[in-house]
Amino acid sequence: MGASAIIYGLLLSDDNQVCERQLGALEQNTSPAIRAETERLLPEVRQIAVQARLPLADLALPGLRMMSSLQFEQLSATVQALVEADGQIDLFE
């Protein structure tokens, strides 16, 4: 759960309006526990320098590899929803 929450946190926008839409998508696509964990980690994730985001995502990979196929499908759909929520795709996404 922590690995997916980190990935979701990395994708959440700094713009409050966009972030609220993304959190709504997170709530629709995941469990309340994952949304809560994402929101709990968000202050720390937002402090991470841009150049450290990819290495952090890489550190989350072992946890993500342990997911079942259903969990991975849920992660993939949620990531897609978070990326599309702001109508833009940046280099990290």
Side-chain angles (χ1 to χ4, degrees):
M1 180 168 65
S4 58
I6 287 171
I7 298 300
Y8 298 147
L10 289 170
L11 293 171
L12 291 178
S13 176
D14 291 330
D15 179 303
N16 288 335
Q17 190 174 24
V18 174
C19 185
E20 284 302 315
R21 279 198 313 266
Q22 289 174 313
L23 288 172
L26 189 63
E27 189 169 348
Q28 289 178 345
N29 290 298
T30 65
S31 70
I34 291 179
R35 179 184 167 145
E37 182 68 3
T38 302
E39 289 182 292
R40 186 185 74 78
L41 294 174
L42 190 56
E44 287 88 18
V45 170
R46 286 204 168 145
Q47 293 178 13
I48 295 169
V50 173
Q51 63 269 25
R53 289 177 173 228
L54 191 56
L56 178 60
D58 191 45
L59 289 172
L61 288 178
L64 298 176
R65 285 188 187 112
M66 295 173 54
M67 292 179 150
S68 69
S69 60
L70 181 61
Q71 289 171 321
F72 182 76
E73 287 176 22
Q74 181 183 49
L75 174 80
S76 181
T78 304
V79 165
Q80 188 67 33
L82 296 179
V83 168
E84 292 175 354
D86 64 359
Q88 300 175 350
I89 295 179
D90 64 27
L91 185 58
F92 177 74
E93 294 171 340

